[in-house]
Amino acid sequence: MGRYNFRPQRVYQATTQLLSTGRLPTPPPWYEVVGSVPPSEILVRNQPVQHRLKSKSKKPSRQFQPQNITYPEDRLRREFFGDHPWELARPRIVLENDGMDSRTEDWSRLRQPGRPLDGESVVQRQSWLMHNVPNMSKAGAYDQARREFYEERLQEDVERRVAKEEALATGAYFGKSMLEVGMELEDKQYEKWKGWAVQDTAAQKERQASMYTGVESEDAAISAEDPETLAALDDMGDAAAAQGQEALGGAAVRP
């Protein structure tokens, strides 16, 4: 324990000795490969590439972080997709056929054969204009690439509408449109909310009615002009007036 084992590094030398003495009739399949490309004999780990530290924190978790990988097109992508966020909702294919698609693409024109039109086409077109057209600014290249992009999108919409009209004329049925489906979903949510609102309003009225304990009916209320009520009020008034008066008559109190 604690000692290095150098026997794996001497496998080639030991095999050579066995072949020279005849103890191995034929060399193993890996013999020539190991002889031409010998394994490393360094027993320590190589020093990794140190990245420039941007953080002033002294925490170990902050000192050893990989460097951010940035490309010149990142700023162009950020600008375009910031102005056209709905382009990110379109389905895209990011898988390349052989990894060399950039060598076969010619961005002197926006439309590329075999590739759908998307925001990345505008970015690559703008980059090509900035590097190949003299005195072309970033804003000018962006405006030209966008103008070409809008024209291509308009052409696609026209072709899509024409194809739909031709299909409808021949008896095709496409079902409900996205707008109709959205309106139906909105109507269902409205009816659901309407039912909840009716129930909540009825519950609030019941709670308010239960807060009153008096008699709300005018017929059941006692009228102030009732003779019995007036007599009772007179008796109560006389009794209230008699309270607190001094005795003015009666028998004398004996000592």
Side-chain angles (χ1 to χ4, degrees), residues 141-231:
Y142 183 56
D143 293 339
Q144 182 175 348
R146 281 191 307 167
R147 182 170 58 255
E148 297 175 0
F149 177 73
Y150 296 155
E151 293 176 356
E152 293 290 340
R153 278 278 187 248
L154 180 60
Q155 182 66 24
E156 289 181 353
D157 293 340
V158 172
E159 294 177 357
R160 191 181 302 109
R161 288 197 298 268
V162 171
K164 183 178 180 180
E165 291 177 359
E166 292 177 352
L168 291 174
T170 56
Y173 177 73
F174 294 97
K176 299 179 181 179
S177 62
M178 297 299 297
L179 182 60
E180 294 176 350
V181 173
M183 292 298 295
E184 290 183 357
L185 294 176
E186 185 176 353
D187 293 340
K188 290 181 180 180
Q189 291 296 327
Y190 173 74
E191 294 296 334
K192 182 178 179 181
W193 173 86
K194 184 179 179 180
W196 169 84
V198 171
Q199 296 178 0
D200 187 72
T201 304
Q204 289 183 3
K205 289 182 178 180
E206 291 179 359
R207 288 194 297 268
Q208 292 176 0
S210 63
M211 294 174 60
Y212 297 99
T213 58
V215 180
E216 298 181 358
S217 177
E218 297 180 356
D219 298 337
I222 300 176
S223 176
E225 299 179 355
D226 190 7
E228 297 180 358
T229 304
L230 295 176

Coordinates of all heavy atoms in Angstrom, one line a residue, residues 141-231:
A141 N -26.4 46.1 -42.7 CA -26.5 44.7 -43.0 C -27.8 44.1 -42.4 O -28.4 43.2 -42.9 CB -25.3 44.0 -42.5
Y142 N -28.1 44.6 -41.2 CA -29.3 44.1 -40.5 C -30.6 44.4 -41.2 O -31.5 43.6 -41.4 CB -29.3 44.6 -39.0 CG -30.4 44.1 -38.2 CD1 -30.6 42.7 -38.0 CD2 -31.3 45.0 -37.5 CE1 -31.7 42.3 -37.2 CE2 -32.3 44.5 -36.8 CZ -32.5 43.2 -36.6 OH -33.5 42.7 -35.8
D143 N -30.6 45.7 -41.7 CA -31.8 46.1 -42.4 C -32.0 45.4 -43.7 O -33.1 45.0 -44.1 CB -31.7 47.6 -42.7 CG -31.8 48.4 -41.4 OD1 -32.4 47.9 -40.4 OD2 -31.4 49.6 -41.4
Q144 N -30.9 45.2 -44.4 CA -31.0 44.4 -45.7 C -31.4 43.0 -45.5 O -32.2 42.4 -46.2 CB -29.6 44.5 -46.5 CG -29.7 43.8 -47.8 CD -28.4 44.0 -48.6 OE1 -27.5 44.8 -48.2 NE2 -28.2 43.3 -49.6
A145 N -30.8 42.3 -44.5 CA -31.1 40.9 -44.2 C -32.6 40.8 -43.8 O -33.3 39.9 -44.2 CB -30.2 40.4 -43.2
R146 N -33.1 41.8 -43.0 CA -34.5 41.7 -42.6 C -35.4 41.9 -43.7 O -36.5 41.3 -43.8 CB -34.7 42.8 -41.5 CG -34.3 42.4 -40.1 CD -34.8 43.4 -39.1 NE -34.5 44.8 -39.5 CZ -35.1 45.8 -38.9 NH1 -36.0 45.7 -38.0 NH2 -34.7 47.1 -39.3
R147 N -35.1 42.9 -44.6 CA -35.9 43.1 -45.8 C -36.0 41.8 -46.6 O -37.1 41.5 -47.1 CB -35.4 44.3 -46.6 CG -36.2 44.6 -47.8 CD -35.8 45.9 -48.4 NE -34.4 45.9 -48.8 CZ -33.4 46.6 -48.2 NH1 -33.7 47.2 -47.1 NH2 -32.2 46.5 -48.6
E148 N -34.9 41.2 -46.9 CA -35.0 39.9 -47.6 C -35.8 38.9 -46.9 O -36.5 38.1 -47.5 CB -33.6 39.4 -47.9 CG -32.7 40.4 -48.8 CD -31.3 40.0 -49.0 OE1 -31.0 38.9 -48.4 OE2 -30.5 40.6 -49.6
F149 N -35.6 38.8 -45.6 CA -36.4 37.8 -44.8 C -37.9 38.1 -44.8 O -38.7 37.1 -45.0 CB -35.9 37.9 -43.3 CG -36.6 37.0 -42.4 CD1 -36.4 35.7 -42.4 CD2 -37.4 37.5 -41.4 CE1 -37.0 34.8 -41.6 CE2 -38.1 36.7 -40.6 CZ -37.9 35.3 -40.6
Y150 N -38.3 39.3 -44.8 CA -39.7 39.6 -44.8 C -40.3 39.3 -46.2 O -41.4 38.8 -46.3 CB -39.9 41.1 -44.6 CG -39.6 41.6 -43.2 CD1 -39.2 42.9 -42.9 CD2 -39.5 40.6 -42.1 CE1 -38.9 43.3 -41.6 CE2 -39.2 41.0 -40.8 CZ -38.8 42.3 -40.6 OH -38.5 42.7 -39.3
E151 N -39.5 39.5 -47.3 CA -40.0 39.2 -48.6 C -40.2 37.7 -48.7 O -41.2 37.2 -49.3 CB -39.0 39.7 -49.6 CG -39.0 41.2 -49.7 CD -37.9 41.7 -50.7 OE1 -37.2 40.9 -51.2 OE2 -37.8 43.0 -50.9
E152 N -39.2 36.9 -48.2 CA -39.3 35.4 -48.3 C -40.5 34.9 -47.5 O -41.2 34.0 -47.9 CB -38.0 34.8 -47.8 CG -36.8 35.1 -48.7 CD -37.0 34.3 -50.0 OE1 -37.7 33.4 -50.1 OE2 -36.3 34.7 -51.0
R153 N -40.7 35.5 -46.3 CA -41.8 35.1 -45.4 C -43.2 35.4 -46.1 O -44.1 34.6 -46.1 CB -41.8 35.8 -44.1 CG -40.8 35.1 -43.1 CD -41.5 34.0 -42.4 NE -40.7 33.5 -41.4 CZ -40.1 32.3 -41.4 NH1 -40.3 31.5 -42.4 NH2 -39.4 31.8 -40.4
L154 N -43.3 36.6 -46.8 CA -44.5 36.9 -47.5 C -44.8 36.0 -48.6 O -45.9 35.5 -48.9 CB -44.4 38.4 -48.0 CG -45.6 38.9 -48.8 CD1 -46.8 38.9 -47.9 CD2 -45.3 40.3 -49.3
Q155 N -43.7 35.6 -49.3 CA -43.9 34.6 -50.4 C -44.3 33.3 -49.9 O -45.2 32.6 -50.5 CB -42.5 34.5 -51.2 CG -42.6 33.5 -52.3 CD -43.4 34.1 -53.5 OE1 -43.7 35.3 -53.6 NE2 -44.0 33.2 -54.3
E156 N -43.8 32.8 -48.7 CA -44.3 31.6 -48.1 C -45.7 31.6 -47.7 O -46.5 30.7 -48.0 CB -43.4 31.2 -46.9 CG -42.0 30.8 -47.3 CD -41.2 30.5 -46.0 OE1 -41.7 30.7 -44.9 OE2 -40.1 30.0 -46.2
D157 N -46.2 32.8 -47.2 CA -47.6 32.9 -46.8 C -48.5 32.9 -48.0 O -49.6 32.2 -48.0 CB -47.8 34.2 -46.0 CG -47.1 34.2 -44.7 OD1 -46.8 33.1 -44.2 OD2 -46.8 35.3 -44.1
V158 N -48.1 33.5 -49.1 CA -48.9 33.5 -50.3 C -49.0 32.1 -50.9 O -50.1 31.6 -51.2 CB -48.3 34.5 -51.3 CG1 -49.0 34.3 -52.7 CG2 -48.4 35.9 -50.8
E159 N -47.9 31.4 -50.9 CA -47.9 30.0 -51.4 C -48.8 29.1 -50.5 O -49.5 28.2 -51.0 CB -46.5 29.5 -51.5 CG -45.6 30.2 -52.5 CD -44.2 29.7 -52.5 OE1 -43.9 28.8 -51.6 OE2 -43.4 30.1 -53.3
R160 N -48.7 29.3 -49.2 CA -49.5 28.5 -48.3 C -51.0 28.8 -48.5 O -51.8 27.9 -48.5 CB -49.1 28.8 -46.9 CG -49.7 27.8 -45.9 CD -49.3 28.2 -44.5 NE -47.8 28.2 -44.3 CZ -47.1 29.3 -44.2 NH1 -47.6 30.5 -44.2 NH2 -45.7 29.2 -44.1
R161 N -51.4 30.0 -48.7 CA -52.8 30.4 -48.9 C -53.3 29.8 -50.2 O -54.5 29.3 -50.3 CB -53.0 31.9 -48.8 CG -52.9 32.4 -47.4 CD -53.5 33.8 -47.3 NE -52.9 34.8 -48.2 CZ -51.8 35.6 -47.9 NH1 -51.4 35.5 -46.6 NH2 -51.3 36.4 -48.7
V162 N -52.5 30.0 -51.2 CA -52.9 29.4 -52.5 C -53.1 27.9 -52.5 O -54.1 27.4 -53.1 CB -51.9 29.9 -53.6 CG1 -52.2 29.1 -54.9 CG2 -51.9 31.4 -53.8
A163 N -52.2 27.2 -51.8 CA -52.3 25.8 -51.7 C -53.5 25.4 -51.0 O -54.2 24.4 -51.3 CB -51.0 25.2 -51.1
K164 N -53.9 26.1 -49.9 CA -55.1 25.8 -49.2 C -56.3 26.0 -50.0 O -57.3 25.2 -49.9 CB -55.1 26.6 -47.9 CG -56.3 26.3 -47.0 CD -56.3 27.2 -45.7 CE -57.4 26.8 -44.8 NZ -57.4 27.6 -43.6
E165 N -56.4 27.1 -50.7 CA -57.5 27.4 -51.6 C -57.7 26.3 -52.6 O -58.8 25.9 -53.0 CB -57.4 28.8 -52.2 CG -57.5 29.9 -51.2 CD -57.3 31.3 -51.8 OE1 -57.1 31.3 -53.1 OE2 -57.4 32.3 -51.1
E166 N -56.6 25.9 -53.2 CA -56.7 24.8 -54.2 C -57.2 23.5 -53.6 O -57.9 22.8 -54.2 CB -55.3 24.6 -54.9 CG -54.9 25.8 -55.7 CD -53.5 25.6 -56.3 OE1 -52.8 24.6 -55.9 OE2 -53.1 26.4 -57.2
A167 N -56.7 23.2 -52.4 CA -57.1 22.0 -51.8 C -58.6 22.1 -51.4 O -59.3 21.1 -51.6 CB -56.3 21.7 -50.5
L168 N -59.1 23.2 -50.9 CA -60.5 23.3 -50.6 C -61.4 23.2 -51.8 O -62.5 22.7 -51.8 CB -60.7 24.7 -49.9 CG -60.2 24.8 -48.5 CD1 -60.4 26.3 -48.0 CD2 -60.8 23.8 -47.5
A169 N -60.8 23.7 -53.0 CA -61.6 23.7 -54.2 C -61.8 22.2 -54.7 O -62.7 21.9 -55.4 CB -60.9 24.5 -55.3
T170 N -60.8 21.4 -54.3 CA -60.9 20.0 -54.7 C -61.6 19.1 -53.7 O -61.6 17.9 -53.8 CB -59.5 19.4 -55.0 OG1 -58.7 19.6 -53.8 CG2 -58.9 20.1 -56.2
G171 N -62.2 19.7 -52.6 CA -62.9 18.9 -51.6 C -62.2 18.6 -50.4 O -62.6 17.7 -49.6
A172 N -61.0 19.2 -50.1 CA -60.3 18.9 -48.9 C -60.9 19.5 -47.7 O -61.6 20.6 -47.8 CB -58.8 19.3 -49.0
Y173 N -60.7 19.0 -46.5 CA -61.3 19.5 -45.3 C -60.2 19.6 -44.3 O -59.5 18.6 -44.0 CB -62.4 18.7 -44.8 CG -63.0 19.1 -43.5 CD1 -63.8 20.3 -43.4 CD2 -62.7 18.4 -42.3 CE1 -64.3 20.7 -42.2 CE2 -63.2 18.9 -41.1 CZ -64.0 20.0 -41.0 OH -64.5 20.5 -39.8
F174 N -59.9 20.8 -43.8 CA -58.8 21.0 -42.8 C -59.2 21.1 -41.4 O -58.4 21.3 -40.5 CB -58.0 22.3 -43.2 CG -57.3 22.2 -44.5 CD1 -57.9 22.7 -45.7 CD2 -56.1 21.5 -44.7 CE1 -57.3 22.6 -46.9 CE2 -55.5 21.5 -45.9 CZ -56.1 22.0 -47.0
G175 N -60.5 21.0 -41.1 CA -61.0 21.1 -39.8 C -61.0 22.6 -39.3 O -61.0 23.5 -40.1
K176 N -61.0 22.8 -38.0 CA -61.1 24.1 -37.4 C -59.7 24.8 -37.5 O -58.7 24.1 -37.3 CB -61.6 24.1 -36.0 CG -63.0 23.5 -35.9 CD -63.4 23.4 -34.4 CE -64.8 22.8 -34.3 NZ -65.3 22.7 -32.9
S177 N -59.8 26.1 -37.7 CA -58.5 26.8 -37.7 C -58.0 27.1 -36.2 O -58.8 26.8 -35.3 CB -58.7 28.2 -38.4 OG -59.7 29.0 -37.7
M178 N -56.8 27.6 -36.1 CA -56.3 27.8 -34.8 C -57.1 28.9 -34.1 O -57.3 28.9 -32.9 CB -54.8 28.2 -34.9 CG -53.9 27.2 -35.5 SD -53.9 25.7 -34.5 CE -53.2 26.3 -33.0
L179 N -57.6 29.9 -34.9 CA -58.4 31.0 -34.3 C -59.7 30.4 -33.7 O -60.1 30.8 -32.6 CB -58.7 32.1 -35.3 CG -59.4 33.3 -34.8 CD1 -58.7 34.0 -33.7 CD2 -59.7 34.2 -36.0
E180 N -60.4 29.5 -34.5 CA -61.6 28.9 -34.0 C -61.4 28.1 -32.8 O -62.2 28.1 -31.8 CB -62.2 28.1 -35.1 CG -62.7 29.0 -36.3 CD -63.2 28.1 -37.4 OE1 -63.0 26.9 -37.3 OE2 -63.7 28.6 -38.4
V181 N -60.3 27.3 -32.7 CA -60.0 26.5 -31.6 C -59.8 27.4 -30.4 O -60.3 27.1 -29.2 CB -58.8 25.6 -31.8 CG1 -58.4 24.8 -30.6 CG2 -59.2 24.6 -32.9
G182 N -59.1 28.5 -30.5 CA -58.8 29.4 -29.4 C -60.0 30.0 -28.9 O -60.2 30.2 -27.7
M183 N -61.0 30.4 -29.8 CA -62.2 31.0 -29.4 C -63.1 30.0 -28.6 O -63.7 30.4 -27.6 CB -63.0 31.5 -30.6 CG -62.3 32.7 -31.3 SD -62.2 34.2 -30.2 CE -63.9 34.5 -30.0
E184 N -63.1 28.8 -29.0 CA -63.9 27.8 -28.3 C -63.3 27.6 -26.9 O -64.0 27.5 -25.9 CB -63.9 26.5 -29.0 CG -64.7 26.5 -30.3 CD -64.7 25.1 -31.0 OE1 -64.1 24.2 -30.5 OE2 -65.4 25.0 -32.0
L185 N -62.0 27.5 -26.8 CA -61.4 27.4 -25.4 C -61.7 28.6 -24.6 O -61.9 28.5 -23.4 CB -59.9 27.2 -25.6 CG -59.4 25.9 -26.3 CD1 -57.9 25.9 -26.4 CD2 -59.8 24.7 -25.5
E186 N -61.7 29.8 -25.2 CA -62.0 31.0 -24.4 C -63.5 31.0 -24.0 O -63.8 31.4 -22.8 CB -61.7 32.2 -25.3 CG -61.9 33.5 -24.5 CD -61.5 34.7 -25.4 OE1 -61.0 34.5 -26.5 OE2 -61.7 35.8 -24.9
D187 N -64.4 30.5 -24.8 CA -65.8 30.4 -24.4 C -66.0 29.4 -23.3 O -66.8 29.7 -22.4 CB -66.6 30.0 -25.6 CG -66.6 31.1 -26.7 OD1 -66.3 32.3 -26.4 OD2 -66.9 30.8 -27.9
K188 N -65.3 28.3 -23.3 CA -65.4 27.4 -22.2 C -65.0 27.9 -20.9 O -65.6 27.8 -19.9 CB -64.6 26.1 -22.6 CG -65.2 25.3 -23.7 CD -64.4 24.0 -24.0 CE -65.0 23.2 -25.1 NZ -64.1 22.0 -25.3
Q189 N -63.9 28.6 -20.9 CA -63.4 29.3 -19.7 C -64.3 30.4 -19.2 O -64.5 30.5 -18.0 CB -62.0 29.9 -19.9 CG -60.9 28.8 -20.2 CD -60.7 28.0 -18.9 OE1 -60.8 28.4 -17.8 NE2 -60.3 26.7 -19.2
Y190 N -65.0 31.1 -20.2 CA -65.9 32.1 -19.8 C -67.1 31.5 -19.1 O -67.6 32.0 -18.1 CB -66.3 32.9 -21.0 CG -67.4 33.9 -20.7 CD1 -67.2 35.1 -19.9 CD2 -68.7 33.7 -21.1 CE1 -68.2 36.0 -19.6 CE2 -69.8 34.6 -20.8 CZ -69.5 35.7 -20.1 OH -70.5 36.6 -19.8
E191 N -67.7 30.4 -19.7 CA -68.8 29.7 -19.1 C -68.5 29.2 -17.7 O -69.3 29.2 -16.8 CB -69.3 28.6 -20.0 CG -69.9 29.1 -21.3 CD -71.1 30.0 -21.1 OE1 -71.8 29.8 -20.1 OE2 -71.4 30.8 -22.0
K192 N -67.3 28.7 -17.6 CA -66.8 28.1 -16.3 C -66.8 29.3 -15.2 O -67.2 29.1 -14.1 CB -65.5 27.5 -16.4 CG -65.0 26.8 -15.2 CD -63.6 26.1 -15.4 CE -63.1 25.5 -14.1 NZ -61.8 24.9 -14.4
W193 N -66.2 30.4 -15.7 CA -66.2 31.5 -14.7 C -67.6 32.1 -14.4 O -67.8 32.5 -13.3 CB -65.3 32.6 -15.3 CG -65.3 33.9 -14.5 CD1 -64.5 34.2 -13.5 CD2 -66.2 35.0 -14.7 NE1 -64.9 35.4 -13.0 CE2 -65.9 35.9 -13.7 CE3 -67.3 35.3 -15.6 CZ2 -66.6 37.1 -13.6 CZ3 -67.9 36.5 -15.5 CH2 -67.6 37.4 -14.5
K194 N -68.5 32.1 -15.4 CA -69.8 32.6 -15.2 C -70.5 31.7 -14.1 O -71.2 32.2 -13.2 CB -70.6 32.6 -16.5 CG -72.0 33.2 -16.4 CD -72.6 33.1 -17.7 CE -74.1 33.7 -17.6 NZ -74.7 33.7 -19.0
G195 N -70.4 30.4 -14.2 CA -71.0 29.5 -13.2 C -70.5 29.8 -11.8 O -71.2 29.8 -10.8
W196 N -69.1 29.9 -11.7 CA -68.5 30.2 -10.4 C -69.0 31.6 -9.9 O -69.3 31.7 -8.7 CB -67.0 30.2 -10.6 CG -66.3 30.8 -9.4 CD1 -66.0 30.1 -8.2 CD2 -65.9 32.1 -9.1 NE1 -65.4 30.9 -7.3 CE2 -65.3 32.1 -7.8 CE3 -65.9 33.3 -9.9 CZ2 -64.8 33.3 -7.3 CZ3 -65.4 34.4 -9.4 CH2 -64.9 34.4 -8.1
A197 N -69.2 32.6 -10.7 CA -69.6 33.9 -10.3 C -71.0 33.9 -9.8 O -71.3 34.5 -8.8 CB -69.5 34.9 -11.4
V198 N -71.9 33.1 -10.4 CA -73.3 33.0 -9.9 C -73.3 32.4 -8.6 O -74.0 32.8 -7.7 CB -74.1 32.2 -11.0 CG1 -75.5 31.9 -10.4 CG2 -74.2 33.0 -12.3
Q199 N -72.6 31.3 -8.4 CA -72.6 30.6 -7.1 C -72.0 31.5 -6.0 O -72.5 31.6 -4.9 CB -71.8 29.3 -7.2 CG -72.4 28.3 -8.1 CD -71.6 27.0 -8.2 OE1 -70.5 26.9 -7.6 NE2 -72.1 26.0 -9.0
D200 N -70.9 32.2 -6.3 CA -70.3 33.1 -5.3 C -71.2 34.2 -5.0 O -71.3 34.6 -3.8 CB -69.0 33.6 -5.9 CG -68.2 34.4 -4.8 OD1 -67.7 33.7 -3.9 OD2 -68.1 35.6 -4.9
T201 N -71.9 34.8 -5.9 CA -72.9 35.9 -5.6 C -74.0 35.4 -4.7 O -74.4 36.1 -3.8 CB -73.4 36.4 -6.9 OG1 -72.4 36.9 -7.8 CG2 -74.4 37.6 -6.7
A202 N -74.5 34.2 -5.0 CA -75.6 33.7 -4.2 C -75.1 33.4 -2.8 O -75.8 33.7 -1.8 CB -76.1 32.4 -4.8
A203 N -73.9 32.9 -2.6 CA -73.3 32.7 -1.3 C -73.2 34.0 -0.5 O -73.4 34.1 0.7 CB -72.0 31.9 -1.4
Q204 N -72.7 35.0 -1.2 CA -72.6 36.3 -0.5 C -73.9 36.9 -0.1 O -74.0 37.4 1.0 CB -71.9 37.3 -1.5 CG -70.4 37.0 -1.7 CD -69.8 38.0 -2.6 OE1 -70.4 39.0 -3.0 NE2 -68.5 37.8 -2.9
K205 N -75.0 36.7 -0.9 CA -76.3 37.2 -0.5 C -76.8 36.4 0.7 O -77.4 37.0 1.7 CB -77.3 37.0 -1.6 CG -77.0 38.0 -2.8 CD -78.1 37.9 -3.9 CE -77.8 38.9 -5.0 NZ -78.8 38.8 -6.1
E206 N -76.5 35.1 0.8 CA -77.0 34.3 1.9 C -76.2 34.8 3.2 O -76.8 34.8 4.3 CB -76.7 32.8 1.7 CG -77.6 32.3 0.6 CD -77.3 30.8 0.3 OE1 -76.4 30.3 1.0 OE2 -78.0 30.2 -0.5
R207 N -75.0 35.0 3.1 CA -74.2 35.5 4.3 C -74.7 36.9 4.7 O -74.8 37.1 5.9 CB -72.7 35.6 3.9 CG -72.1 34.2 3.8 CD -70.5 34.3 3.8 NE -70.1 35.1 2.7 CZ -69.7 34.6 1.5 NH1 -69.8 33.2 1.4 NH2 -69.2 35.3 0.5
Q208 N -75.0 37.7 3.8 CA -75.6 39.0 4.2 C -76.9 38.9 4.9 O -77.2 39.6 5.8 CB -75.6 40.0 3.0 CG -74.3 40.4 2.4 CD -74.4 41.2 1.2 OE1 -75.5 41.5 0.7 NE2 -73.2 41.6 0.6
A209 N -77.8 38.0 4.4 CA -79.1 37.9 4.9 C -79.0 37.3 6.3 O -79.9 37.6 7.2 CB -80.0 37.0 4.0
S210 N -78.1 36.4 6.6 CA -78.0 35.8 7.9 C -77.4 36.8 9.0 O -77.5 36.5 10.1 CB -77.0 34.6 7.8 OG -75.7 35.0 7.4
M211 N -76.9 37.9 8.6 CA -76.4 38.9 9.5 C -77.5 39.6 10.2 O -77.3 40.2 11.3 CB -75.4 39.9 8.8 CG -74.2 39.2 8.3 SD -73.2 40.3 7.3 CE -72.8 41.6 8.5
Y212 N -78.7 39.8 9.6 CA -79.8 40.5 10.2 C -80.7 39.6 11.1 O -81.1 38.5 10.6 CB -80.7 41.1 9.1 CG -80.0 42.1 8.3 CD1 -79.4 41.7 7.0 CD2 -79.8 43.4 8.7 CE1 -78.8 42.7 6.3 CE2 -79.1 44.3 7.9 CZ -78.6 44.0 6.7 OH -77.9 44.9 6.0
T213 N -80.9 40.0 12.4 CA -81.7 39.2 13.3 C -83.1 39.7 13.5 O -84.0 39.1 14.1 CB -81.0 39.1 14.6 OG1 -80.8 40.4 15.1 CG2 -79.7 38.3 14.5
G214 N -83.4 41.0 13.1 CA -84.7 41.6 13.3 C -85.7 41.1 12.3 O -85.4 40.4 11.4
V215 N -87.0 41.6 12.6 CA -88.1 41.2 11.7 C -88.1 42.1 10.5 O -88.2 43.4 10.7 CB -89.4 41.2 12.4 CG1 -90.5 40.8 11.5 CG2 -89.3 40.3 13.7
E216 N -88.0 41.6 9.3 CA -87.9 42.4 8.1 C -89.3 42.7 7.6 O -89.5 43.6 6.8 CB -87.1 41.8 7.1 CG -85.6 41.6 7.5 CD -84.8 41.0 6.4 OE1 -85.3 40.7 5.4 OE2 -83.6 40.8 6.7
S217 N -90.4 41.9 8.0 CA -91.7 42.0 7.4 C -92.4 43.2 8.0 O -92.4 43.4 9.3 CB -92.5 40.8 7.6 OG -93.8 40.9 7.1
E218 N -93.0 44.1 7.2 CA -93.7 45.2 7.8 C -95.1 44.8 8.4 O -95.5 45.5 9.3 CB -94.0 46.2 6.6 CG -92.7 46.8 6.0 CD -93.0 47.8 4.9 OE1 -94.2 47.9 4.6 OE2 -92.1 48.4 4.4
D219 N -95.7 43.7 7.9 CA -96.9 43.3 8.5 C -96.7 42.8 9.9 O -97.6 42.9 10.8 CB -97.6 42.2 7.6 CG -97.9 42.8 6.2 OD1 -98.0 44.0 6.1 OD2 -97.9 41.9 5.3
A220 N -95.6 42.1 10.1 CA -95.4 41.5 11.5 C -94.9 42.6 12.5 O -94.8 42.3 13.7 CB -94.4 40.4 11.4
A221 N -94.4 43.7 12.0 CA -93.9 44.8 12.9 C -95.1 45.4 13.7 O -96.2 45.5 13.2 CB -93.2 45.8 12.1
I222 N -94.8 45.8 14.9 CA -95.8 46.4 15.8 C -96.0 47.8 15.4 O -95.0 48.6 15.3 CB -95.4 46.3 17.3 CG1 -95.2 44.8 17.7 CG2 -96.4 47.0 18.2 CD1 -94.7 44.6 19.1
S223 N -97.2 48.2 15.2 CA -97.5 49.5 14.8 C -97.5 50.5 16.0 O -97.9 50.1 17.1 CB -98.9 49.6 14.1 OG -99.2 50.9 13.8
A224 N -97.0 51.7 15.8 CA -97.0 52.6 16.9 C -98.3 53.2 17.3 O -98.5 53.8 18.3 CB -96.0 53.8 16.5
E225 N -99.3 53.0 16.4 CA -100.7 53.5 16.6 C -101.6 52.5 17.3 O -102.8 52.7 17.4 CB -101.3 54.1 15.3 CG -100.5 55.2 14.7 CD -101.1 55.7 13.4 OE1 -102.1 55.1 13.0 OE2 -100.6 56.7 12.8
D226 N -101.1 51.3 17.7 CA -101.9 50.3 18.3 C -102.4 50.8 19.7 O -101.5 51.3 20.4 CB -101.1 49.0 18.4 CG -102.0 47.9 18.8 OD1 -103.2 48.1 18.9 OD2 -101.4 46.8 19.1
P227 N -103.7 50.7 20.0 CA -104.1 51.1 21.4 C -103.4 50.5 22.5 O -103.1 51.1 23.5 CB -105.6 50.8 21.3 CG -106.0 50.7 19.9 CD -104.8 50.2 19.2
E228 N -103.2 49.2 22.4 CA -102.5 48.5 23.5 C -101.1 49.0 23.7 O -100.6 49.1 24.8 CB -102.5 47.0 23.3 CG -103.9 46.4 23.2 CD -103.8 44.9 23.0 OE1 -102.7 44.4 22.8 OE2 -104.9 44.2 23.0
T229 N -100.5 49.3 22.6 CA -99.1 49.8 22.6 C -99.1 51.2 23.3 O -98.2 51.5 24.1 CB -98.5 49.9 21.2 OG1 -98.6 48.6 20.6 CG2 -97.1 50.4 21.2
L230 N -100.1 52.1 22.9 CA -100.1 53.4 23.5 C -100.4 53.3 25.0 O -99.8 54.1 25.8 CB -101.2 54.2 22.8 CG -101.0 54.5 21.3 CD1 -102.2 55.2 20.8 CD2 -99.7 55.4 21.2
A231 N -101.3 52.4 25.5 CA -101.5 52.2 26.9 C -100.3 51.8 27.6 O -100.0 52.2 28.7 CB -102.7 51.3 27.1

